[in-house]
Amino acid sequence: MASAKGSSATTADCVYSLDVHTLKHIFNIFDTKKDGLIDRQEFTMCWNKWIKTIIRPVNIFLIIDVQNDFISGSLNISNCSAQQNGLEVIEPINHLLDTVNFDSVFYSFDWHPIDHISFIENLSLRPLDSSSPIKANNAQLYDTVVFEGSPKIKQRLWPKHCVQDSWGAQLYKDLKVVDNAVKIYKGTISDVDSYSVFWDNKKLTQTTLGTQLAQLNATDIYVCGLAYDVCVGATVADALSIGYRTILIDDCCRGVDLSDIEKTKNNVVKNHGVIVQSNEIKTMVEGRDRRPELGYKLALEIEKSMEKENYK
């Protein structure tokens, strides 16, 4: 029925070129008989697993940790090395909530018990491992230490922040909270931190996010919030690893360290996510701008799934 010669991704508003290597790779994923053709059976599989998702994605807006303590409280990120103002994410996030018809909106909360391991004020509560590069009597804010444990726990030290039920843990007052949104709480266990909204840092305990996304048949995750290179970066990395088509909204994020922000961006691109500005989101959600990187990401995930099936 078809063969691979060259193509482009096109929508009503945007046209993107696909390089020949990527195009051939996608073609070969669906050419399961390896005869250089896509027959009716192969096209049916391609349609059901790939094209349908591209045409009719389930779009999730995930707003990470836009809380008082990160904007004007004890861990105001403007005091960190990047000197970025967390307040600047409010206006573009609110505009997206007002103008874009996402299938579901999620808000995450850092939600720590008072004795949380990340608080420098609690450093004396747990013994450091002998391998820790910094000893307890020399540790300062933002240093990384290693606590005893099985496994050992590598932990960056932060000021006490986002304590459960405190003012600092509340969403910032000017952030719009939409009806029927889902709230996810992380970092709730005393002895392990949780940057990602999916998992704690040791990948021992999941939040409810993964289950709820699966129930929604989510395909595309639009991610933003605070801090760019910490909780946003960890969440985006997990979303990509799990297999979601992941979109990082650059101007709706602010971070702690400029070099770590660049590492976050590089990781997104390397793993076939996309980085966009908020003024690009509406056309993407409406299907008038379909990014080839996201199509390729989905094809790669289908390839992994097929390889697992063949292995069985």
Side-chain angles (χ1 to χ4, degrees):
M1 293 179 66
S3 61
K5 293 182 180 179
S7 185
S8 63
T10 180
T11 69
D13 293 270
C14 303
V15 177
Y16 299 100
S17 296
L18 286 174
D19 65 86
V20 173
H21 172 77
T22 301
L23 180 64
K24 285 183 176 179
H25 188 186
I26 294 172
F27 184 90
N28 289 333
I29 290 170
F30 298 106
D31 179 20
T32 58
K33 297 174 183 176
K34 305 307 176 189
D35 59 2
L37 300 170
I38 300 293
D39 64 20
R40 186 177 299 276
Q41 181 182 8
E42 290 165 331
F43 180 75
T44 299
M45 185 267 287
C46 175
W47 173 264
N48 288 327
K49 292 189 174 183
W50 192 54
I51 298 174
K52 273 187 177 180
T53 296
I54 292 172
I55 294 174
R56 294 192 291 271
V58 177
N59 298 297
I60 306 300
F61 191 22
L62 176 55
I63 302 164
I64 298 176
D65 299 0
V66 184
Q67 294 164 271
N68 287 326
D69 270 344
F70 297 127
I71 294 176
S72 59
S74 62
L75 189 37
N76 183 339
I77 65 168
S78 66
N79 296 325
C80 297
S81 64
Q83 297 184 335
Q84 296 190 347
N85 186 353
L87 188 61
E88 293 172 352
V89 307
I90 301 294
E91 183 177 350
I93 291 175
N94 284 349
H95 183 69
L96 289 174
L97 291 168
D98 286 335
T99 60
V100 180
N101 187 24
F102 295 100
D103 292 292
S104 189
V105 176
F106 285 70
Y107 297 85
S108 80
F109 293 73
D110 238 14
W111 197 252
H112 297 313
I114 192 67
D115 61 345
H116 196 253
I117 193 169
S118 72
F119 299 167
I120 193 169
E121 294 87 347
N122 294 334
L123 184 58
S124 63
L125 299 182
R126 301 167 181 85
L128 294 184
D129 191 81
S130 59
S131 65
S132 180
I134 298 174
K135 305 309 175 186
N137 57 346
N138 295 322
Q140 299 181 16
L141 271 179
Y142 313 123
D143 283 344
T144 298
V145 298
V146 179
F147 289 101
E148 287 184 356
S150 182
K152 300 173 185 178
I153 302 172
K154 186 177 180 181
Q155 177 65 52
R156 193 172 186 182
L157 298 174
W158 305 98
K160 182 170 65 175
H161 64 279
C162 297
V163 173
Q164 295 171 4
D165 296 312
S166 69
W167 170 87
Q170 295 172 13
L171 294 177
Y172 192 75
K173 62 181 177 61
D174 294 332
L175 179 69
K176 182 181 178 69
V177 179
V178 298
D179 294 337
N180 301 316
V182 181
K183 296 179 179 179
I184 305 290
Y185 298 87
K186 62 186 180 65
T188 60
I189 301 172
S190 295
D191 291 327
V192 63
D193 213 348
S194 183
Y195 293 163
S196 171
V197 186
F198 288 95
W199 290 90
D200 68 66
N201 289 1
K202 288 295 181 181
K203 295 290 195 291
L204 299 175
T205 305
Q206 295 186 61
T207 68
T208 61
L209 178 61
T211 299
Q212 293 186 77
L213 291 177
Q215 291 172 346
L216 292 168
N217 295 313
T219 61
D220 293 19
I221 315 296
Y222 292 80
V223 185
C224 68
L226 307 173
Y228 203 139
D229 47 324
V230 187
C231 295
V232 173
T235 301
V236 167
D238 278 348
L240 288 165
S241 177
I242 292 166
Y244 289 110
R245 290 161 27 116
T246 305
I247 302 94
L248 177 60
I249 312 173
D250 181 65
D251 61 324
C252 293
C253 301
R254 292 295 183 271
V256 170
D257 181 90
L258 291 177
S259 64
D260 288 339
I261 290 171
E262 286 306 308
K263 289 177 184 176
T264 295
K265 293 179 179 181
N266 291 338
N267 184 60
V268 171
V269 175
K270 177 183 175 182
N271 290 285
H272 310 289
V274 296
I275 303 171
V276 300
Q277 303 303 313
S278 59
N279 61 5
E280 302 173 80
I281 301 300
K282 185 175 177 63
T283 55
M284 293 178 69
V285 170
E286 292 177 349
R288 295 184 287 119
D289 180 359
R290 299 191 179 107
R291 302 298 172 100
E293 301 96 329
L294 300 179
Y296 188 43
K297 169 66 174 175
L298 178 58
L300 292 173
E301 294 303 319
I302 293 168
E303 183 179 44
K304 288 180 188 177
S305 176
M306 291 166 63
E307 287 173 350
K308 287 180 182 178
E309 289 297 318
N310 291 337
Y311 181 77
K312 291 178 182 179

